[in-house]
C-alpha cells in the first residue's frame, strides 16, 4: 500500500491552495491528490467564460500543465475515493486500491442541487458546474432556440447571460420574489433584473416548473402560474450543496457541510476540510456555515496546509462575498445582506442612481462597525471596505464619505489611516 | 523582497508618479507619444489618494500572503517566489474583479476598456521603478533586500 504524508481528495481551488501552502513550508513531504475528473486542474468559476468564448480550453486550466510535477505531487487522475477509514488512516479507491495518509484534506467540493421535479433527467437538461456540463451544453447549442434557466442566483444568471449572448431566447425562473435574494437587497435585485430585461431576457419570479413535457428531451415546460414555455435547453442552476457522501457514515461532524474549526481541522484528528464541502467559520456572523466561494476554498486549503505541516495558522476572514458582473454591470458585495427594515439595530446607509445602475450600500452595527456592503457600478477599491470590516473599526466619523465613489484611505481620520497603513506602506514621520 | 514605501509628509500631490507609471507601461516609453497617439492609452498602476492638503500615492504592496492571488479564479495572478513580486498575466485575466474585492489597499486597478485589471509590477526589468525615480520630492522610496 502506498502511503503519503499528505493526501488530498479533490482537485480544484482548495486542493491547489493546499499544495501551494504545503510546498512553502515542507519541500520534501509526499503529497498525493485523488481527482475524480480526468481533466487537468481547471477553474469551475471560468465555465461561463468558456461557453461565452472568452476563455479557451487551455486557459481553463487553473495552473500550468507541469504544476503537479513541479510541486512533486502524485496524481490519481480519473479515480474516485469511495471510503475513508480514520482508524487505520486509509482511503479506499473505487477500484479497491488503498492509500495511506498521515494528514488528510477533504476537498470534495459541492454537487449541483437538482430539485425533485419529474423530467429533469431528460437529455437536454444540464447542470452548470463542471467542464463536462459545459461541453455538453456547447454541443447542444446548435439548433437550440429557446433556453430555460431554473434558478435566479449567481450560477443561473451567469448561465442566462451567456445563453442570451449566444442568441437564444432565455427565460429565467426564480422561486423567490426576486433574483439573487440571498446575496443582495431589493434595490440591487431591481437593478440586476432591469439589466437582464433590457436585453430581452425574461425573468419570472415567484415561479418555478410545474410540469415537464417531452419524450427523450424536454420540449415544453408548464410553470406554476400556468404559463407554457417551449424549451430546447434547460439549465438547472439552483446552487450547490456540500458533497459529503464520502464521509457521511463516519464519526466526522457534519452540519450541512463538514464542520471545521479556524484551523480548517475537522472533528477527526489529522483530517482537514475546505471549500464547497466544508462548513467554515464566517467571521462576520461568528458562526459556521457552508461558504462555497472561490477565495474561501483556496485560502481554506492554504491554511489547512500550514496546520497539516505543523505550523499553526487560522482562517479568520472567510465570509459571504461575491464579485459578479451581468451585461457589464459590475457588482461587488460582502458580509451581511439586510434590508432597511431589520430587527437587529443595524443602520443602513445608501446611495442610489437607478437609471445609471449605481448603488452603494453599507450595513453598520451599533459599534459603528461595517457588517456588510454592496456596490454596483462603482466597484473600484472595494477591498478597502472589506479591510474595514476585518479591522472592526468605528466608521461613524467618516460614514457619509463611504458613499463617495473615490473613497479611500485619505478619507479616514488620521489616526486610523496610519494605523491601517503603517506596517506596510508608510515610511517616515507621521 | 523589494517594496515601494511612501513618505506622505513630503508628497506634494503632483501626480507625476501616475503619469510616469503610465509611461513605463506604454508601448513607446515616451511620454508625448504615449499620451498623444497610443491606443489603448496606457494606464497607471499607482493612484494618489487625496483629501487636501493630504496626498500620498499607493501601489501594490506585493504582499507575503497576497489575498488577490487567493481570490483569482483564472490563475492570472501568482506570487513569484524568486523575486517576491505578485505578477499578473493579462492573457489569463477574465476581468471577474475578485482581486478588487479582496485587495486591502485598493491597489488593483480596473481597466474598463479591456475588462481586465492592471497592477504594479515593480517596473519589471528596470533597476528603479519609474514612479520612484520620477518623484520630484522623493516621497517614494524603493527598498530592496539586496
Amino acid at each position: 500500500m502506498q502511503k503519503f504524508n499528505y493526501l488530498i481528495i479533490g482537485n480544484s481551488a482548495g486542493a491547489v491552495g493546499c499544495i501551494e501552502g504545503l510546498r512553502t513550508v515542507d519541500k520534501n513531504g509526499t503529497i498525493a491528490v485523488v481527482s475524480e475528473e480526468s481533466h487537468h486542474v481547471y477553474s469551475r468559476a471560468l465555465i461561463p467564460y468558456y461557453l461565452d468564448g472568452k476563455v479557451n480550453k487551455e486557459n481553463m486550466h487553473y495552473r500550468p500543465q507541469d504544476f503537479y510535477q513541479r510541486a512533486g505531487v502524485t496524481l490519481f487522475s480519473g479515480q474516485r475515493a469511495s471510503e475513508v477509514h480514520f482508524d487505520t488512516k486509509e482511503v479506499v479507491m473505487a477500484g479497491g486500491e488503498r492509500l495511506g495518509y498521515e494528514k488528510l484534506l477533504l476537498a470534495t467540493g459541492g454537487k449541483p442541487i437538482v430539485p425533485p421535479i419529474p423530467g429533469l433527467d431528460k437529455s437536454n437538461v444540464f447542470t452548470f458546474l463542471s467542464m463536462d456540463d459545459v461541453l455538453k451544453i456547447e454541443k447542444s447549442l446548435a439548433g437550440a432556440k429557446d433556453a430555460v434557466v431554473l434558478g435566479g442566483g449567481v450560477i443561473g444568471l451567469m448561465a442566462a447571460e451567456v445563453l442570451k449572448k449566444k442568441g437564444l431566447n432565455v427565460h429565467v425562473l426564480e422561486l423567490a420574489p426576486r433574483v439573487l435574494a440571498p446575496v443582495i437587497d431589493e434595490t440591487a435585485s431591481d437593478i440586476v433584473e432591469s439589466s437582464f430585461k433590457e436585453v430581452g431576457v425574461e425573468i419570472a419570479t415567484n415561479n418555478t416548473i410545474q410540469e415537464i413535457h417531452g419524450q427523450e428531451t424536454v420540449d415544453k415546460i408548464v410553470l406554476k402560474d400556468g404559463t407554457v414555455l417551449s424549451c430546447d435547453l434547460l439549465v438547472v442552476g439552483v446552487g450547490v450543496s456540500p458533497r459529503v457522501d464520502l464521509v457521511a457514515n463516519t464519526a466526522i461532524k457534519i452540519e450541512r457541510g463538514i464542520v471545521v474549526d479556524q484551523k480548517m481541522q475537522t472533528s477527526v484528528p489529522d483530517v482537514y476540510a475546505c471549500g464547497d464541502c466544508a462548513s467554515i467559520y464566517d467571521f462576520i456572523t461568528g458562526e459556521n456555515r457552508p461558504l462555497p466561494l472561490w477565495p474561501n476554498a483556496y485560502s481554506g486549503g492554504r491554511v489547512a496546509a500550514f496546520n497539516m505541516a505543523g505550523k499553526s495558522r487560522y482562517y479568520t476572514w472567510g465570509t459571504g462575498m461575491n464579485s459578479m458582473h451581468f451585461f457589464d454591470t459590475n457588482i461587488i458585495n460582502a458580509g451581511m445582506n439586510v434590508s432597511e427594515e431589520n430587527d437587529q439595530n443595524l443602520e443602513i446607509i445608501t446611495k442610489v442612481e437607478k437609471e445609471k445602475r449605481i448603488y452603494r450600500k453599507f450595513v453598520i452595527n451599533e459599534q459603528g462597525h461595517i457588517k456588510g456592503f454592496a456596490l454596483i457600478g462603482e466597484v473600484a477599491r472595494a477591498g478597502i471596505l472589506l479591510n474595514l470590516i476585518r479591522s472592526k473599526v468605528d466608521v461613524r466619523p467618516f460614514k457619509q464619505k463611504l458613499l463617495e465613489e473615490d473613497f479611500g484611505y485619505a478619507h479616514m481620520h488620521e489616526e486610523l489611516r496610519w494605523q491601517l497603513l503603517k506596517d506596510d506602506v508608510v515610511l517616515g514621520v507621521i | 523582497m523589494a517594496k515601494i514605501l511612501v513618505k506622505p509628509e513630503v508628497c506634494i500631490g503632483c501626480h507625476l508618479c501616475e503619469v510616469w507609471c503610465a509611461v513605463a507601461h506604454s508601448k513607446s516609453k515616451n511620454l508625448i507619444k504615449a499620451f498623444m497617439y497610443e491606443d489603448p492609452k496606457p494606464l497607471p498602476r499607482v493612484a494618489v489618494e487625496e483629501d487636501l492638503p493630504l496626498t500620498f500615492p499607493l501601489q501594490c504592496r506585493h504582499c507575503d500572503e497576497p489575498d488577490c492571488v487567493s481570490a483569482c479564479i483564472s490563475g492570472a495572478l501568482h506570487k513569484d517566489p524568486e523575486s517576491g513580486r505578485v505578477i499578473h498575466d493579462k492573457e489569463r485575466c477574465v476581468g471577474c474583479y475578485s482581486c478588487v474585492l479582496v485587495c486591502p489597499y485598493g491597489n488593483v486597478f480596473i481597466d474598463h476598456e479591456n475588462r481586465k485589471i492592471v497592477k504594479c509590477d515593480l517596473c519589471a526589468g528596470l533597476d528603479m521603478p519609474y514612479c520612484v525615480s520620477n518623484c520630484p520630492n522623493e516621497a517614494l522610496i524603493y527598498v530592496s533586500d539586496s
Side-chain angles (χ1 to χ4, degrees), chain A residues 140-375:
Chain A
S140 63
L141 280 178
K145 273 210 334 264
D146 300 302
V148 176
V149 177
L150 182 63
V154 181
I155 302 174
L157 290 182
M158 284 185 103
E161 179 183 351
V162 179
L163 291 169
K164 182 69 200 171
K165 285 179 177 165
K166 289 276 170 199
L168 281 78
N169 304 317
V170 182
H171 254 92
V172 178
L173 313 177
E174 171 55 53
L175 193 54
R178 56 192 181 87
V179 298
L180 293 167
V183 182
I184 49 178
D185 67 6
E186 292 83 350
T187 310
S189 285
D190 262 4
I191 293 174
V192 173
E193 283 183 28
S194 78
S195 68
F196 273 85
K197 287 173 178 168
E198 187 178 81
V199 294
V201 174
E202 303 283 344
I203 295 181
T205 49
N206 292 313
N207 217 333
T208 188
I209 299 174
Q210 185 79 35
E211 284 168 21
I212 288 176
H213 294 271
Q215 295 296 323
E216 298 298 305
T217 59
V218 180
D219 49 33
K220 214 167 54 182
I221 292 174
V222 180
L223 304 187
K224 200 177 72 173
D225 67 355
T227 312
V228 179
L229 300 177
S230 60
C231 171
D232 306 311
L233 180 75
L234 173 57
V235 175
V236 178
V238 183
V240 295
S241 63
R243 233 182 123 182
V244 297
D245 41 339
L246 176 65
V247 289
N249 301 317
T250 65
I252 209 164
K253 189 176 171 190
I254 298 173
E255 281 169 8
R256 286 171 63 209
I258 301 163
V259 179
V260 292
D261 60 14
Q262 292 178 8
K263 288 181 159 186
M264 308 309 290
Q265 188 170 309
T266 68
S267 62
V268 177
D270 301 326
V271 180
Y272 296 76
C274 72
D276 292 11
C277 70
S279 170
I280 71 169
Y281 174 74
D282 179 338
F283 83 100
I284 291 181
T285 63
E287 289 166 3
N288 267 50
R289 62 182 177 122
L291 288 165
L293 303 159
W294 196 267
N296 292 331
Y298 180 92
S299 304
R302 188 170 173 90
V303 168
F306 280 82
N307 292 303
M308 288 159 87
K311 304 243 187 280
S312 201
R313 196 174 271 209
Y314 300 86
Y315 186 41
T316 53
W317 63 270
T319 191
M321 50 185 165
N322 296 281
S323 176
M324 323 171 255
H325 51 90
F326 302 112
F327 298 107
D328 289 332
T329 299
N330 294 316
I331 304 161
I332 284 184
N333 74 290
M336 292 171 81
N337 168 36
V338 293
S339 304
E340 297 274 0
E341 300 76 37
N342 64 75
D343 50 9
Q344 307 171 63
N345 281 334
L346 295 165
E347 185 191 1
I348 312 288
I349 56 168
T350 59
K351 174 182 89 174
V352 194
E353 292 176 57
K354 266 203 169 164
E355 59 293 338
K356 287 191 187 159
R357 295 203 177 112
I358 288 173
Y359 185 46
R360 289 176 83 88
K361 170 198 172 176
F362 294 86
V363 179
I364 300 168
N365 75 359
E366 286 164 304
Q367 288 89 46
H369 302 166
I370 302 177
K371 294 305 242 176
F373 67 85
L375 309 173

Side-chain angles (χ1 to χ4, degrees), chain A residues 41-43 46-62 65 131 134-135 138, chain B residues 74 91-94 116:
Chain A
V41 62
Y42 68 91
S43 171
L46 292 181
I47 281 168
Y49 298 89
Y50 173 82
L51 193 59
D52 201 12
K54 294 220 161 40
V55 171
N56 61 22
K57 271 196 183 134
E58 182 55 38
N59 280 356
M60 282 297 288
H61 296 151
Y62 177 51
Q65 286 292 348
M131 194 70 209
V134 79
L135 292 172
E138 202 177 23
Chain B
S74 67
E91 297 308 312
R92 301 191 73 88
C93 179
V94 295
K116 293 192 186 284

Side-chain angles (χ1 to χ4, degrees), chain A residues 43 45-46 49 55 58-59 61-63 294-295 298-299 302 306 313 317 321-325 328 330 332-334 379-384 386-387 390 401 408-411 417-418 420-421 424-430, chain B residues 3-9 47 49-51 54 56-58 61 63-65 67 69-78 91-92 94-110 112 115 141 143:
Chain A
S43 171
L46 292 181
Y49 298 89
V55 171
E58 182 55 38
N59 280 356
H61 296 151
Y62 177 51
R63 288 294 182 263
W294 196 267
Y298 180 92
S299 304
R302 188 170 173 90
F306 280 82
R313 196 174 271 209
W317 63 270
M321 50 185 165
N322 296 281
S323 176
M324 323 171 255
H325 51 90
D328 289 332
N330 294 316
I332 284 184
N333 74 290
V379 300
R381 312 195 76 200
I384 296 177
L386 190 63
N387 196 25
R390 285 191 215 169
K401 290 182 179 164
Y409 283 98
H411 308 104
R417 170 173 56 248
W418 303 131
L420 291 172
L421 294 179
D424 211 25
V425 177
V426 179
L427 192 74
V429 190
I430 304 297
Chain B
K3 259 199 189 338
I4 298 169
L5 297 177
V6 60
K7 293 178 170 175
E9 69 278 19
E49 287 229 15
E50 270 189 7
D51 192 12
L54 169 79
F56 61 95
L58 270 181
R61 313 316 310 156
C63 303
D64 290 339
E65 287 285 334
D67 291 339
V69 174
S70 303
C72 179
I73 64 170
S74 67
L77 286 164
H78 77 280
E91 297 308 312
R92 301 191 73 88
V94 295
C96 72
Y97 305 151
S98 299
C99 50
V100 177
L101 156 68
V102 297
C103 173
Y105 301 101
N107 284 338
V108 174
F109 301 99
I110 295 176
H112 286 286
R115 191 158 198 109
I141 310 291
V143 185

